[in-house]
Amino acid sequence: MRQPDRLSRIVEQLAASGSVGVGDLSLSLGVSAATVRRDLALLEEQRLLARTHGGAVAHGVLYELPLRYRSARRQEEKARIARAAAEHVADGAAVGMAGGTTTTEAARALSDRRGLTVVTNSLSIASELAVRPTLKLVVTGGVARPESYELVGPLAEASLGALNLDVVLIGVDGISVAAGLTTHHEVEAHTNRALISRARRVIVIADSSKVGQVAFARICELACVHELITDQGVDPGEVAALRAAGIEITLV
């Protein structure tokens, strides 16, 4: 297993249980205890954990994994979702894109398209598209969040107020009939809501692990959403409930 994949697994386990043991990690990752200790030392340098005798504990709250570790999860599903999302963007469209691992994949899928105008608050997406001469890139202002590499807050929202978008592609931490679209951070939710409000069509792109989930902060109600693009692993009951609520669903 590659080191980036190991680090992602370690951080995920910390987020789930709050602590990890060297022995357990060695068995689950299929590497030596010495390799695990080196990985833990690297994550400690990044202030994501505190090492203990025989393992490590989470440093602060890890409910929201840094983007560099989330990007390793469900890569195949996210790539399929991203390709399908790109097919829903017409040539010459003005498209808004919030931050996240799946939306960043969608940006890559759109990077060679001509005549697009892409509006984003994501530093990751901006870095992918800034060197593409075939499209126009508009980046909002705002305060950068290190967990998501997004620009958020009043400055970001003010810059969106005068824009009109054909479609918004948005990633979420949860989508459900009861709670609508949700994410872990309230300021990020408010900025995403401002982006959604500027679009004629709203498409949620999220892998199946997000469907039926409810995170801390509400982005918007389900009535604001036109379509969900997700993978085949989604629960059929959730699909039926969302379709009954009027959401178009594309499974890839």
Side-chain angles (χ1 to χ4, degrees):
M1 182 181 292
R2 299 179 309 123
Q3 187 185 52
D5 298 325
R6 295 198 308 271
L7 297 177
S8 178
R9 289 272 296 275
I10 293 169
V11 174
E12 284 184 336
Q13 188 166 331
L14 275 171
S17 62
S19 64
V20 292
V22 170
D24 291 339
L25 287 174
S26 178
L27 288 174
S28 64
L29 299 176
V31 296
S32 69
T35 297
V36 171
R37 291 189 185 95
R38 286 194 293 271
D39 290 343
L40 294 179
L42 178 59
L43 292 170
E44 185 176 44
E45 290 175 5
Q46 298 173 15
R47 300 183 60 80
L48 291 173
L49 56 78
R51 296 173 68 188
T52 63
H53 180 71
V57 295
H59 184 89
V61 179
L62 282 179
Y63 62 82
E64 183 177 26
L65 302 181
L67 186 70
R68 61 186 178 276
Y69 296 115
R70 285 187 281 128
S71 61
R73 301 186 301 181
R74 296 178 174 263
Q75 285 181 313
E76 184 178 338
E77 291 90 340
K78 291 174 181 178
R80 292 201 308 269
I81 293 166
R83 289 193 294 269
E87 293 174 359
H88 285 66
V89 177
D91 290 339
V95 53
M97 303 185 75
T101 54
T102 309
T103 50
T104 301
E105 286 290 335
R108 295 185 182 117
L110 290 168
S111 61
D112 292 328
R113 296 277 291 277
R114 293 184 175 273
L116 292 180
T117 297
V118 176
V119 177
T120 186
N121 68 325
S122 166
L123 297 173
S124 298
I125 292 174
S127 67
E128 289 282 343
L129 301 183
V131 296
R132 302 291 181 169
T134 59
L135 54 79
K136 179 180 180 180
L137 174 66
V138 179
V139 183
T140 71
V143 177
R145 293 197 66 236
E147 296 85 358
S148 63
Y149 301 168
E150 283 186 277
L151 300 169
V152 298
L155 289 174
E157 292 153 25
S159 66
L160 294 168
L163 304 180
N164 297 300
L165 305 173
D166 296 304
V167 61
V168 159
L169 303 179
I170 186 165
V172 297
D173 293 305
I175 175 172
S176 69
V177 172
L181 307 188
T182 54
T183 190
H184 289 305
H185 194 270
E186 66 278 4
V187 178
E188 190 173 301
H190 199 275
T191 300
N192 287 349
R193 184 158 60 246
L195 184 63
I196 286 171
S197 72
R198 307 311 305 167
R200 287 195 287 270
R201 184 169 181 82
V202 176
I203 301 176
V204 175
I205 54 175
D207 68 71
S208 56
S209 69
K210 311 295 177 54
V211 181
Q213 300 301 308
V214 178
F216 171 69
R218 190 182 198 188
I219 299 171
C220 66
E221 60 186 12
L222 207 60
C224 297
V225 178
H226 298 91
E227 184 174 1
L228 166 67
I229 302 176
T230 189
D231 61 82
Q232 298 279 352
V234 68
D235 181 85
E238 297 291 347
V239 171
L242 289 168
R243 282 179 171 155
I247 306 300
E248 298 176 31
I249 297 181
T250 299
L251 300 177
V252 296

